[in-house]
Amino acid sequence: MTNQPVPYLHMDAQQLETHRALMQTQSSVAELVSHLEEAKDVDVKVGALWGRDAQMLQTTVLSPTEMYKVAKQYGLDEQCLKIMSISGYTDPVVILSHWKRITETVLNSVGANKLEVLKAKVVNLAHEFNHASNRGYFPLSFVLEVLIRACLKSPAMTYESLKEWFTSCMRECGIEYDLLVSELLHLVNAVGESRWMICVSGLYAKW
């Protein structure tokens, strides 16, 4: 990183922690952007800007807005969520758009282990965001709907294996039982109509 002057002496403990987290995130964004170029995964429209952006990430302390713009340009949705969380920017629509891209990338990929990849992704993000100060960045209702739909679309997934997989995922995410039941009932009874041909109590029988 550059030796740009940063007014550390005028920061309190919370500001120092925020700055440290932003620097760690910028380092992660820089590394991911570098890997994208090496793998030739950079979109043609932004490819010409890659050298400039990669250098900027390595040599300049970016503001949260600048860092978010770069991360979004390269499709780094998880990093975008982290930047939003650190900087305290909460926009449910934007948060949901990042989650949609994250989950769709997994579900649209080629491979036989999509459900396990999806589970690992969700659990990892739950560990990052599923606590009191960051829960707004973990849209539980959306996550539950994605997980259940993915299960029901899997031809190899029996009802028993669905229950086992789903409850295992929720335990590893650290979601409270009462909150889960409430959110599932909300999904089942959305707009007064039954949306799922599943038994909520059955899903949690083995909890």
Side-chain angles (χ1 to χ4, degrees), residues 141 144-145 148 183-190 193 195-196:
S141 182
L144 292 177
E145 185 161 350
I148 295 173
E183 289 290 343
L184 279 171
L185 287 172
H186 175 72
L187 285 174
V188 170
N189 299 309
E193 298 179 1
R195 299 174 65 186
W196 307 105

Side-chain angles (χ1 to χ4, degrees), residues 24-203:
Q24 288 183 335
T25 303
Q26 180 167 334
S27 178
S28 296
V29 171
E31 183 176 355
L32 288 167
V33 168
S34 177
H35 288 166
L36 283 172
E37 172 61 12
E38 291 172 2
K40 304 301 180 185
D41 286 337
V42 177
D43 188 279
V44 173
K45 291 184 290 184
V46 300
L49 302 176
W50 176 86
R52 182 205 66 182
D53 293 337
Q55 182 178 21
M56 180 173 62
L57 286 164
Q58 293 289 350
T59 63
T60 307
V61 177
L62 303 183
S63 70
T65 300
E66 292 170 329
M67 199 189 314
Y68 176 86
K69 187 179 296 185
V70 173
K72 183 179 179 182
Q73 180 172 254
Y74 290 94
L76 303 176
D77 291 289
E78 292 180 52
Q79 301 303 317
C80 286
L81 287 172
K82 288 182 181 180
I83 295 165
M84 292 177 69
S85 171
I86 294 166
S87 59
Y89 178 65
T90 56
D91 184 326
V93 174
V94 175
I95 290 169
L96 200 58
S97 70
H98 288 303
W99 269 93
K100 284 180 179 178
R101 282 192 290 271
I102 289 168
T103 54
E104 285 173 0
T105 297
V106 174
L107 295 174
N108 293 334
S109 64
V110 177
N113 296 316
K114 289 182 184 179
L115 287 180
E116 289 309 310
V117 174
L118 179 63
K119 176 183 175 181
K121 184 73 70 177
V122 168
V123 169
N124 182 59
L125 289 170
H127 291 170
E128 181 82 31
F129 300 118
N130 184 40
H131 44 87
S133 61
N134 275 346
R135 196 155 286 155
Y137 304 95
F138 189 82
L140 181 57
S141 182
F142 170 80
V143 171
L144 292 177
E145 185 161 350
V146 167
L147 292 174
I148 295 173
R149 284 188 183 278
C151 284
L152 295 177
K153 288 181 179 180
S154 175
M157 184 70 76
T158 65
Y159 185 67
E160 287 301 317
S161 58
L162 184 156
K163 287 193 295 183
E164 186 64 35
W165 183 86
F166 184 79
T167 54
S168 171
C169 184
M170 293 299 97
R171 286 194 201 99
E172 291 180 39
C173 285
I175 309 296
E176 295 88 345
Y177 175 82
D178 289 343
L179 177 60
L180 273 173
V181 171
S182 175
E183 289 290 343
L184 279 171
L185 287 172
H186 175 72
L187 285 174
V188 170
N189 299 309
V191 198
E193 298 179 1
S194 178
R195 299 174 65 186
W196 307 105
M197 295 184 68
I198 59 173
C199 173
V200 173
S201 61
L203 270 176

Side-chain angles (χ1 to χ4, degrees), residues 4-12 15-16 19-20 23 61:
Q4 281 181 286
V6 179
Y8 295 110
L9 294 178
H10 300 287
M11 294 182 179
D12 59 25
Q15 290 172 322
L16 283 169
H19 182 75
R20 182 194 65 79
M23 290 299 92
V61 177

